[in-house]
Amino acid sequence: MALELAWYDLVGLLGTVIILAGFFLLQAGRLAGTGLIYQLINLFGAAGILVSLIGKFNLPVFLLEAAWMAVSFYGIVRSLRLKRSQRAG
């Protein structure tokens, strides 16, 4: 019996892999938790998981990933503002 995945399932799996890879790189000391790259990894990973909900909606997962994206977006804005202020000052 073969496992058949729709395109949105594949996007969700990719999002999961992206988030887990980012978390691993953070724990391995290869990324900074406040860095732009880590925030982008989280943003795009969470977006991928949200796309997977097209197939079967799950409210708890939706709320978690929407919050994950909001916090990541906040981190991106904060990182960009910090960089801008460091260049100006």
Side-chain angles (χ1 to χ4, degrees), residues 11-25 40-46 48:
V11 172
L13 287 171
L14 180 61
T16 300
V17 169
I18 289 170
I19 288 176
L20 290 174
F23 185 59
F24 173 78
L25 293 170
L40 287 169
I41 286 171
N42 281 303
L43 181 72
F44 288 115

Side-chain angles (χ1 to χ4, degrees), residues 8-79:
Y8 47 78
D9 294 320
L10 296 173
V11 172
L13 287 171
L14 180 61
T16 300
V17 169
I18 289 170
I19 288 176
L20 290 174
F23 185 59
F24 173 78
L25 293 170
L26 176 69
Q27 296 305 312
R30 305 285 292 176
L31 287 176
T34 56
L36 181 60
I37 298 298
Y38 183 68
Q39 300 304 331
L40 287 169
I41 286 171
N42 281 303
L43 181 72
F44 288 115
I49 294 171
L50 278 178
V51 167
S52 76
L53 296 179
I54 290 172
K56 183 171 185 204
F57 187 75
N58 180 319
L59 182 60
V61 173
F62 174 81
L63 293 174
L64 175 65
E65 298 308 322
W68 199 287
M69 285 184 69
V71 172
S72 297
F73 185 73
Y74 168 78
I76 290 167
V77 171
R78 186 174 176 268
S79 292

